[in-house]
Amino acid sequence: MVNVGLAVVLPLLFQVAPGVDDAPLPTEATYYRIVDLVAPEDIVLEVGGFHVAEGGVILVATRRGDIWRIEDAYGDAPVFSLWADGLQEPLGLEAYDGWIYVVTRGELVRLRDEDGDHRADRYETVCDDWVISGNYHEYAFGPRRDSDGNFWVTLNKPFGDEPFGKVDWRGWAVRITPEGKMEPACSGLRSPCGVEIAPWGDVFYTDNQGEWCPTNKLAHLEVGDFHGHPHGIESCKRPESLAPFPGEIPDGMLIPEVAKLIPSLKLPAVWFPYDKMGKSASGMAWDQTGARFGPFYGQCFVGDQHDASVMRVHLEKVGGAWQGACFPFREGFGCGITRVEWGEDASLLVGMTNRGWGSLGNRSYGIQRLVWTGETPTEIQTMTALPGGFRLTFTRPMNIETLAFPQNYTLESYTFRLHEQYGSPEFDRAQVMIAAARPADDGLSVDLSCIGLREGYVHELRAERIRSADGLPLLHPDAYYTLNARPTDDSAR
Amino acid sequence: MAVHPFSLTLLVLFLLVGSLDGQAPDAHIDRSVLAAERAVREHACLACHRAEGAIAERLAPVPAPNLHTAGPRYTAAHLSGFLADPWKTKPGTRMPNVLAGVPAEERADSVEALVHFLASRGGKFDRSAIGADPREAELGRRLFDEIGCRACHHSVPGWRTRLAAKTNYRHVSDVIHNPAELFPSGFMPSLRLSEKEVRAIALYLLEDQSRDADGNPLVRMVTGLRERYYEGVFSNCGPDLERATPVRDGVATKIGLPVGHREEYFGVALDGEIDIPKQGIWTFTLTSDDGSRLWIDEAPVIEHDGMHSPSSASGTLELDAGWHSIRVTMFEYGGGEELSLLWSGPDQPNPAEIPVKALRVRSAAYQPSATDQKIDRTLRSQGQRLYLSLGCAACHDRGVSAERAPTLAALPAEAVGCLDPDPPADSRAPRFPLDPSTRDGIVALLRSRDAFRVPADDATRLAISLDSLGCKSCHAREGFGGPTADTYPRFTGTAELGDEGRLPPDLTGVGAKLRRDWIEKVIGVGAPVRPYMNTRMPEYSPEIASDLAELFHREDGGDDDGGIPAFTDAAVEAGRLLSGGDGFRCIDCHDFAGHPSLGEPAIDLATTGGRLQPKWYLEYMLDPQSKRPGTRMPSFWAEGIELFPDVLDGTAASQIAATWSYLALGDAAPLPAGLVVDRSAYDIIPVEEPILFGAFFEGLSGRVICCGYPERISIAYDAENAHLAKAWRGDFINARGTWEGRAGRLETPEGSNPFDFPPGDAVAVLAHPDDAWPKISGREAGWRHRGVRKDADRRPVFRRAHAASDTIVEEWITPRFSTAGASIVRNMVIVQGVPRGDAPADGGVGKRGVELRIATSKQIFTDENGFRTQEGLHLIIRGAEARIVEGSDGAELRASIPPGTHAIEVEVVW
């Protein structure tokens, strides 16, 4: 049956458009190639953190507690040697002042090779002002050094037994001063697997869907924030806390309503709608490669630990706060991704481990690199808010006729509930009407006039029917804009 | 073969005189004497013919099988046939024909009465059928051949058919599992089999019960579904699961998670038939975490696959009433798990669980052939009287005496009565089917019976034991026993090792080779050291084990520890070098402390010290062929050749002694270099240098740094509370609890002999040096871990600080070899009150100095070069003046450390 159908359809296609359609449609792989970084079989490379050093060297922290030094990391035969061991679930590396800073479950520690044998000889505790209750979920992520010299660390909340007793500061983002003092900065985090300093100096983190976290998100961390999870808010009452007690957290209200009730609730810059945009947001990296990684310079790439995929985020500041859109980017990695980092050659290093959590893919751990092939994909480059709609920009000139036709787009909005249940469905869904689509003359952007925009809602756009000037559909026709606030002045042309 | 009675007596007397004089008895014992003594015991002559004193002990009857539960175990047909003619029913049995003396016309009635009595003992015959997979019997056959059953149970044609007619699965599996319960003789040993193996062998032995009269396999329907449980990392119900080998294969009585599943990484497949009560549209709802699939009539109905949290999927189809095939598969990756299947359909609108009676699976079946035996109470009483009067109870029920038989002393030394090969018609004696040589031997024994009034000498006892217990079915000793022409090819093992790899060891001189406690362990509780061999050493009672170990030692020369070489660190180092990859490469063939060899697995070298006598070891290493002819073990110190002239003095004597010193450390021996360790395995094994491992630790905290040293010493340092907490020897850590799945389990030491350092801080500031040690400690008392430095040997130096007293302590452990146990040197550098930068040179609380607490115990004693605690710790302190402080809870060993920088060493032996 199937065979017969194909036999009939294929010749027809050839007849209709032999010049274009005899080539298969491009896929993600056409533009971004996944390359294995081959490790010896007996190294369990469950990646917790990367440090990209010079001269083809990478340091990789593993969840088993080792740091491996990889020489010739971008070549065909990378060489592995053990750089450090005995660290308790190290989930991030940062180099500063000749030291490698590592965050482990219980401390921020810095390591150095003092005798030049490519092995760490000295581990110095920088800060261990938080303690752990002995629960597996008490991971610590980071460290990321801000422009004031503070190291930011996010502390997972426990999930289940706490054999050594409940402790403070779980579900917090803390900053550690250059003197090694911990300053608890933000409460309400759940499972904050990624923390990163944006190129402009702001601190962002990703969080994982679960109780009190309706879906995965990317949020700006500012001292005093509350991010929605009540687990650790009692710690706000301790004198060291820089975050005020947020008050009673209502169970089951829609997010925009909670925001009105709890002044310190920080809305995320981007919600990643569950299943559409991954299931477990993890590490992230802003593209600082110039144009060496393709047309997304300055944007943020976020790994997903379930979908074995990398997503793309574009942020803008509206009403004094960061918000923006996320887009699918590349899937098909070996397994769940924990860390992404730029390699020296402007490839994206992807560190993976799915231990303890299921993921797509056929491996359990490892490193892959994502390499731009040099061809530019047909993508929505940015989606930004206008007072009465959205502006889309494109990576390649688009067919203006297809851009100008409002029925070629669908837009709907929804929000989530903040509640104790694990994750939230999309609530209060509504269609947004696209009244007009006004393409720019160069075909590189279009302004959509919309009726029915709602603040505090995710706006999900689909644009399957628009085409590039040379006839290609969008590689990814969907985008998800988190419209916390609408801009007031029209910056459109 | 007949033996002349006169020469036999002489020989017996000679043996007795020899042993009484304390001379070594002749190693070559006349086999027929042994045969007669053994025959008298095994035929239980003294059960009826009573005797007193030493002779009664020496010729004590071997107890016959326990018949208290004969009813459930033996078919009436078997009992009847066996009583009427024991030899015909069971060739070779020692059971006499007790009814031979009963007049022929009464014999059939007597048999019937006895059957009614025996069949009533312990309940009805268990006729229940059992389901089985034909592959189980096949496994049973293989085990029966390979593990050693066949060495004693020679196959007489038709024996399994007779067994299938005699008994049932329950009896056979009981006997294999726990033979001592039914066979008090102790002759049938346990082979320490798993439940699965017992079942497989029983199913093999009873295979005839799995066929009907025409030889067709019996099949029956079992309620439930066949459940195959898999362990492995599956990410869907696809081919990986379909192709996996089940860990368990059984029958489930509901559609749900397999009983006893592990938390993560498993799968299950349920197969069978489902009874659809009424024709119509049926809806199935499959709920699972993670994925699952449902097939009905071999067509997919629900595809709910992939990784997900608990969720449901439904499938609807039209089904006729009656039985349909059903298959459910499910896998669990990580996190929670769930599996259920509900149905709804005509007359049943609400989804409901599927009742077990609606599920069935076809299974091969075993069915004992017996019909129910109706017990006639009159016949039973008659049988009970016969059981006593015929003397059955004298053998089968220990302590019940027989009636009427003359005492041993009163018996004529002639082949009359029970021994009469051709008894007169009116003889009432039971008939023993003895071969002529045994009969002659017993007559000869009776003739010289006074010679048996003294206990048998060691050689005789050992020889009889080795025969009776079946040792010689597998083992040769001094030229006798061992595999026969028939059994020789049946022993299997590792082909590459030739006969050494498959034949059980020769026991000649074993008492001079193995330590006495090792022999006892091998016989009594098992100590399998030959992984290359399929035959398993059975397990005998502790009494038999102790008795045999003692006899071997007395016969061959006991433990001689005089030859133990002097123990030095240098010898251990040399021994380690010679054993490893840069030496004689022993690890090419031998396992080491559980780590596989690089080739075929010869005996684990870490067992050397516990197993072998040093004298034997030293001689064996010089010339392996002298002790074990034909062995593959090379002669490393062949005369005149020094392969490693630079190790020690280069001589064979000192180098062999060094390997002994090293190997005698056993599991505590540092692993030899060159051993290949799997870095990805959960067992962390330091070979070349120390390894650090951070984890949650039982009883300590959520932040503990463990260090395993190649010297097979390990420590746990509590970084949360900044103190050294534990040390142990042997294996370091199995990291599964920290490295598997979501992990986060509390770790414990993997090795043995753990030792706790005194609780809390080792250093404190006290108002007065003898004040009570502070109750609060660690983090709460202000101590903070400051980091780790690795020294030139990559040993960790732990650094901690106490800000209030301006104290910094650096501490590290240097492991030491020791034969007596584990030994470490605890090194500390205490820096206190030292001016740094702008701090006042003389200021602060630190000016007073600190107290160091080295040990706590109920009692502490001084000895020649240090201190000893009541618990057996031995402590030598250097760099500080230690003193014993008596407190309310016991004693403490303390030293006062003045301000400044001080290095202190505490050698701890435990």
Side-chain angles (χ1 to χ4, degrees):
Chain A
M1 188 65 184
V2 172
N3 288 337
V4 175
L6 279 177
V8 174
V9 172
L10 284 176
L12 281 177
L13 283 175
F14 283 123
Q15 283 165 9
V16 173
V20 175
D21 288 327
D22 56 351
L25 275 183
T27 64
E28 290 175 349
T30 311
Y31 308 102
Y32 290 93
R33 232 167 4 103
I34 296 173
V35 179
D36 286 340
L37 194 158
V38 180
E41 266 190 17
D42 63 348
I43 296 179
V44 179
L45 211 59
E46 298 169 335
V47 178
F50 282 125
H51 164 63
V52 174
E54 291 174 352
V57 172
I58 299 172
L59 294 183
V60 182
T62 73
R63 291 173 68 193
R64 286 198 168 188
D66 295 328
I67 296 179
W68 291 91
R69 182 174 186 275
I70 310 176
E71 271 183 60
D72 201 10
Y74 311 95
D76 292 336
V79 178
F80 282 69
S81 63
L82 188 64
W83 194 75
D85 64 344
L87 301 163
Q88 211 176 343
E89 202 112 12
L91 293 172
L93 302 180
E94 178 97 312
Y96 173 66
D97 198 21
W99 294 86
I100 298 297
Y101 284 72
V102 187
V103 66
T104 68
R105 284 189 186 277
E107 63 182 289
L108 175 65
V109 55
R110 59 182 193 175
L111 278 60
R112 192 159 68 179
D113 165 20
E114 298 199 321
D115 59 8
D117 65 350
H118 296 320
R119 309 191 65 181
D121 322 292
R122 186 177 286 277
Y123 303 27
E124 268 188 20
T125 302
V126 177
C127 176
D128 64 351
D129 289 348
W130 71 92
V131 293
I132 38 189
S133 73
N135 178 278
Y136 80 89
H137 210 251
E138 287 171 321
Y139 300 110
F141 308 98
R144 283 297 180 258
R145 189 172 174 275
D146 68 19
S147 50
D148 298 328
N150 299 306
F151 286 92
W152 285 78
V153 168
T154 52
L155 301 173
N156 234 16
K157 65 164 282 284
F159 201 78
D161 290 347
E162 297 174 278
F164 298 105
K166 191 171 159 58
V167 294
D168 275 309
W169 315 121
R170 301 313 314 193
W172 279 70
V174 301
R175 64 179 189 197
I176 292 154
T177 66
E179 295 74 38
K181 181 168 167 280
M182 178 180 82
E183 294 182 336
C186 313
S187 71
L189 290 68
R190 183 180 175 276
S191 190
C193 180
V195 54
E196 201 65 47
I197 314 285
W200 56 90
D202 285 347
V203 188
F204 285 83
Y205 93 102
T206 55
D207 212 334
N208 271 256
Q209 185 235 29
E211 9 40 85
W212 302 104
C213 187
T215 188
N216 300 309
K217 67 190 186 190
L218 172 71
H220 181 198
L221 285 174
E222 288 176 290
V223 172
D225 286 346
F226 166 65
H227 285 270
H229 200 302
H231 172 85
I233 57 176
E234 281 303 308
S235 302
C236 296
K237 297 173 180 169
R238 293 189 59 95
E240 308 93 302
S241 170
L242 301 185
F245 184 72
E248 272 313 299
I249 311 304
D251 187 352
M253 276 170 81
L254 293 179
I255 291 285
E257 303 304 312
V258 187
K260 287 175 198 156
L261 205 68
I262 309 283
S264 63
L265 177 73
K266 178 61 113 0
L267 291 174
V270 169
W271 293 109
F272 299 106
Y274 197 70
D275 209 19
K276 298 170 180 167
M277 288 297 291
K279 285 182 177 169
S280 178
S282 59
M284 62 192 133
W286 265 272
D287 182 355
Q288 297 293 292
T289 65
R292 291 195 293 158
F293 190 69
F296 307 110
Y297 177 65
Q299 296 193 8
C300 180
F301 291 84
V302 182
D304 192 275
Q305 215 201 338
H306 178 277
D307 276 6
S309 64
V310 173
M311 302 171 291
R312 181 165 62 84
V313 168
H314 176 260
L315 295 179
E316 60 177 335
K317 208 165 198 175
V318 176
W322 290 103
Q323 63 182 40
C326 58
F327 312 85
F329 177 63
R330 182 69 162 100
E331 55 185 24
F333 292 91
C335 71
I337 295 169
T338 42
R339 292 287 169 256
V340 291
E341 188 66 82
W342 297 103
E344 283 181 281
D345 64 348
S347 63
L348 187 67
L349 288 165
V350 170
M352 304 177 288
T353 159
N354 64 6
R355 168 154 64 81
W357 285 268
S359 84
L360 302 183
N362 55 5
R363 301 185 192 183
S364 303
Y365 49 79
I367 300 176
Q368 291 178 319
R369 291 190 303 120
L370 191 61
V371 180
W372 183 39
T373 62
E375 274 193 70
T376 301
T378 306
E379 292 269 50
I380 302 171
Q381 189 174 34
T382 65
M383 177 176 183
T384 50
L386 303 173
F390 292 102
R391 172 174 297 164
L392 308 179
T393 66
F394 301 97
T395 53
R396 303 178 67 234
M398 303 298 286
N399 175 319
I400 290 173
E401 272 175 44
T402 61
L403 287 189
F405 194 44
Q407 278 83 344
N408 278 353
Y409 310 87
T410 60
L411 191 61
E412 59 176 342
S413 65
Y414 44 82
T415 187
F416 306 97
R417 261 188 191 148
L418 186 68
H419 57 197
E420 196 179 352
Q421 281 98 351
Y422 203 97
S424 161
E426 294 160 4
F427 278 107
D428 200 16
R429 179 184 295 275
Q431 292 293 325
V432 180
M433 188 187 153
I434 300 191
R438 286 188 293 277
D441 294 342
D442 57 7
L444 284 170
S445 69
V446 62
D447 286 358
L448 305 177
S449 298
C450 304
I451 297 169
L453 296 176
R454 291 186 291 179
E455 290 188 343
Y457 283 66
V458 172
H459 288 68
E460 177 178 333
L461 173 87
R462 307 194 70 86
E464 270 103 353
R465 281 177 283 189
I466 63 174
R467 291 292 179 271
S468 67
D470 53 5
L472 287 174
L474 290 171
L475 185 60
H476 300 103
D478 46 337
Y480 307 83
Y481 190 97
T482 299
L483 187 69
N484 290 329
R486 293 164 64 170
T488 46
D489 63 315
D490 191 348
S491 58
R493 71 205 81 118
Chain B
M1 183 196 292
V3 174
H4 194 277
F6 181 65
S7 66
L8 178 75
T9 313
L10 272 188
L11 186 59
V12 169
L13 288 172
F14 169 79
L15 285 172
L16 289 169
V17 170
S19 74
L20 289 173
D21 281 359
Q23 294 162 1
D26 190 341
H28 181 76
I29 301 158
D30 190 297
R31 316 303 300 172
S32 62
V33 180
L34 291 179
E37 187 169 343
R38 188 181 157 198
V40 167
R41 296 195 56 205
E42 292 183 2
H43 288 94
C45 303
L46 269 61
C48 295
H49 306 287
R50 310 308 291 230
E52 300 295 333
I55 197 167
E57 208 166 299
R58 179 160 176 183
L59 300 177
V62 169
N66 182 341
L67 297 179
H68 285 113
T69 53
R73 297 178 188 278
Y74 304 118
T75 63
H78 166 78
L79 291 171
S80 159
F82 189 60
L83 287 163
D85 192 344
W87 265 60
K88 191 173 157 203
T89 310
K90 188 180 176 192
T93 183
R94 296 189 189 93
M95 164 86 175
N97 186 338
V98 289
L99 298 168
V102 176
E105 62 278 16
E106 295 169 25
R107 214 171 285 159
D109 292 343
S110 301
V111 167
E112 197 188 352
L114 277 169
V115 169
H116 277 259
F117 168 60
L118 291 173
S120 73
R121 297 189 83 187
K124 275 169 55 170
F125 183 73
D126 183 358
R127 290 183 58 220
S128 50
I130 52 162
D133 186 317
R135 287 170 299 185
E136 290 183 281
E138 176 51 30
L139 170 67
R141 184 196 60 74
R142 202 162 48 75
L143 287 168
F144 193 84
D145 277 349
E146 282 187 349
I147 64 176
C149 308
R150 183 86 72 184
C152 294
H153 298 274
H154 311 295
S155 30
V156 177
W159 70 282
R160 283 196 300 146
T161 305
R162 286 193 293 274
L163 189 69
K166 166 184 176 176
T167 182
N168 50 23
Y169 172 79
R170 188 180 132 190
H171 171 72
V172 175
S173 55
D174 277 358
V175 168
I176 300 171
H177 176 66
N178 184 12
E181 186 157 334
L182 284 161
F183 297 119
S185 66
F187 290 0
M188 163 81 184
S190 156
L191 275 163
R192 283 187 296 272
L193 302 173
S194 69
E195 246 173 72
K196 184 181 167 190
E197 291 171 330
V198 168
R199 180 175 155 88
I201 294 175
L203 292 175
Y204 162 64
L205 295 177
L206 294 174
E207 221 172 358
D208 280 13
Q209 292 186 357
S210 70
R211 299 188 194 98
D212 64 16
D214 303 325
N216 300 316
L218 292 174
V219 167
R220 78 191 170 114
M221 301 311 293
V222 181
T223 300
L225 295 177
R226 179 174 181 184
E227 177 188 86
R228 272 169 280 204
Y229 166 69
Y230 307 93
E231 291 187 348
V233 181
F234 307 106
S235 51
N236 53 52
C237 293
D240 285 355
L241 183 67
E242 296 288 343
R243 280 197 295 263
T245 308
V247 176
R248 274 203 317 269
D249 191 347
V251 174
T253 50
K254 70 180 183 78
I255 298 175
L257 293 171
V259 176
H261 66 81
R262 61 179 183 181
E263 275 183 36
E264 293 175 342
Y265 312 132
F266 66 83
V268 63
L270 297 161
D271 286 282
E273 294 174 28
I274 183 168
D275 187 15
I276 299 298
K278 191 173 179 184
Q279 189 272 334
I281 305 290
W282 286 83
T283 299
F284 293 87
T285 305
L286 187 58
T287 303
S288 68
D289 172 0
D290 290 298
S292 56
R293 296 181 184 182
L294 168 72
W295 289 261
I296 295 201
D297 290 336
E298 294 177 14
V301 176
I302 299 174
E303 181 90 4
H304 189 37
D305 209 353
M307 281 182 263
H308 52 71
S309 43
S311 56
S312 303
S314 296
T316 297
L317 73 169
E318 187 170 3
L319 290 169
D320 290 335
W323 291 96
H324 298 260
S325 84
I326 180 170
R327 175 172 171 82
V328 176
T329 60
M330 172 263 178
F331 81 96
E332 158 63 8
Y333 184 87
E337 55 270 347
E338 211 172 306
L339 175 64
S340 69
L341 181 67
L342 305 180
W343 66 352
S344 57
D347 306 340
Q348 191 180 307
N350 296 323
E353 231 178 86
I354 300 166
V356 65
K357 65 179 192 319
L359 301 170
R360 69 177 189 186
V361 60
R362 187 176 295 271
S363 167
Y366 278 63
Q367 181 66 61
S369 58
T371 51
D372 273 342
Q373 173 74 18
K374 294 270 182 298
I375 307 292
D376 180 293
R377 293 175 65 183
T378 317
L379 284 174
R380 186 182 67 185
S381 309
Q382 241 174 49
Q384 184 167 15
R385 282 195 298 277
L386 277 171
Y387 185 80
L388 291 168
S389 65
L390 290 168
C392 310
C395 291
H396 290 284
D397 303 72
R398 302 177 91 169
V400 178
S401 59
E403 298 169 6
R404 287 201 318 263
T407 63
L408 179 70
L411 287 174
E414 292 169 45
V416 295
C418 330
L419 295 177
D420 194 339
D422 188 17
D426 62 345
S427 169
R428 305 284 289 175
R431 185 91 32 93
F432 286 87
L434 299 172
D435 61 275
S437 67
T438 308
R439 180 177 295 118
D440 291 348
I442 293 174
V443 171
L445 186 147
L446 284 172
R447 203 167 288 151
S448 58
R449 73 194 81 168
D450 287 350
F452 291 84
R453 292 195 180 282
V454 290
D457 61 89
D458 291 345
T460 309
R461 281 182 53 215
L462 181 57
I464 290 179
S465 293
L466 294 181
D467 277 336
S468 298
L469 297 170
C471 307
K472 293 208 161 170
S473 299
C474 293
H475 299 279
R477 179 172 161 91
E478 288 160 5
F480 289 98
T484 62
D486 176 40
T487 61
Y488 177 82
R490 293 194 190 276
F491 288 96
T492 58
T494 304
E496 287 80 353
L497 299 176
D499 279 1
E500 250 185 314
R502 65 184 193 95
L503 297 184
D506 192 307
L507 299 183
T508 308
V510 70
K513 170 188 176 182
L514 299 179
R515 302 178 59 88
R516 188 199 177 285
D517 49 2
W518 184 268
I519 299 181
E520 192 168 338
K521 189 171 155 192
V522 169
I523 300 170
V525 296
V529 291
R530 300 176 196 274
Y532 44 81
M533 191 179 293
N534 289 334
T535 311
R536 298 186 200 169
M537 174 69 195
E539 173 187 300
Y540 293 89
S541 71
E543 296 74 32
I544 290 174
S546 163
D547 196 40
L548 277 179
E550 188 58 31
L551 286 170
F552 276 126
H553 262 234
R554 289 221 293 263
E555 277 298 284
D556 296 344
D559 279 354
D560 179 3
D561 285 348
I564 292 185
F567 180 92
T568 64
D569 281 6
V572 171
E573 259 315 325
R576 182 180 181 211
L577 170 76
L578 292 170
S579 309
D582 301 323
F584 293 117
R585 302 195 60 85
C586 308
I587 52 169
D588 280 353
C589 298
H590 287 279
D591 292 359
F592 199 105
H595 302 294
S597 77
L598 306 180
E600 294 300 337
I603 293 181
D604 192 320
L605 291 179
T607 64
T608 303
R611 199 169 75 86
L612 299 175
Q613 299 192 32
K615 183 164 176 289
W616 186 92
Y617 174 85
L618 300 177
E619 291 169 8
Y620 178 71
M621 294 302 277
L622 260 186
D623 184 5
Q625 298 296 330
S626 70
K627 302 279 184 199
R628 209 170 144 79
T631 181
R632 280 165 166 66
M633 170 81 179
S635 174
F636 289 111
W637 289 273
E639 213 169 322
I641 302 171
E642 289 177 2
L643 283 176
F644 293 97
D646 302 333
V647 176
L648 299 175
D649 62 3
T651 63
S654 63
Q655 290 186 356
I656 294 173
T659 59
W660 174 269
S661 294
Y662 168 58
L663 297 177
L665 293 173
D667 282 346
L671 296 176
L675 203 72
V676 175
V677 169
D678 179 2
R679 284 191 291 193
S680 67
Y682 290 124
D683 283 312
I684 310 180
I685 299 154
V687 179
E688 310 289 346
E689 61 180 38
I691 296 180
L692 297 182
F693 168 67
F696 302 160
F697 209 93
E698 181 83 51
L700 297 180
S701 76
R703 186 176 159 218
V704 170
I705 304 171
C706 303
C707 180
Y709 299 85
E711 291 84 356
R712 308 272 290 159
I713 294 284
S714 303
I715 56 163
Y717 172 87
D718 182 351
E720 191 75 59
N721 292 301
H723 69 206
L724 192 58
K726 274 178 196 299
W728 63 95
R729 60 192 291 213
D731 291 341
F732 175 33
I733 279 278
N734 178 298
R736 184 181 289 275
T738 303
W739 289 354
E740 183 184 62
R742 296 189 179 188
R745 297 199 284 280
L746 305 184
E747 294 291 1
T748 52
E750 188 65 12
S752 56
N753 214 349
F755 152 68
D756 288 333
F757 290 97
D761 309 317
V763 174
V765 178
L766 303 179
H768 183 273
D770 288 351
D771 280 356
W773 204 256
K775 289 271 182 271
I776 61 162
S777 68
R779 198 178 173 91
E780 202 185 348
W783 283 99
R784 297 293 276 267
H785 173 62
R786 300 309 304 157
V788 180
R789 179 165 59 77
K790 294 202 175 184
D791 71 10
D793 295 323
R794 298 203 69 77
R795 289 180 180 146
V797 177
F798 299 96
R799 183 182 172 91
R800 59 186 188 265
H802 189 255
S805 66
D806 191 18
T807 308
I808 289 171
V809 178
E810 282 205 335
E811 181 163 16
W812 69 99
I813 291 299
T814 317
R816 288 277 170 88
F817 301 125
S818 162
T819 44
S823 165
I824 55 175
V825 178
R826 180 179 189 182
N827 310 269
M828 302 175 99
V829 173
I830 302 175
V831 185
Q832 197 250 351
V834 174
R836 287 169 313 191
D838 52 357
D842 58 347
V845 282
K847 199 177 168 190
R848 258 201 310 272
V850 295
E851 281 295 300
L852 171 65
R853 186 167 72 161
I854 301 157
T856 55
S857 175
K858 278 258 176 284
Q859 266 190 295
I860 298 177
F861 315 94
T862 53
D863 66 10
E864 61 269 28
N865 53 1
F867 298 87
R868 204 160 36 79
T869 69
Q870 199 182 31
E871 294 79 21
L873 280 190
H874 185 212
L875 300 144
I876 303 161
I877 293 103
R878 290 182 281 268
E881 198 66 44
R883 67 185 192 286
I884 298 165
V885 176
E886 300 290 345
S888 51
D889 301 338
E892 296 185 353
L893 191 60
R894 288 194 193 172
S896 295
I897 311 296
T901 300
H902 300 276
I904 296 124
E905 276 184 26
V906 180
E907 192 167 340
V908 187
V909 182
W910 80 100

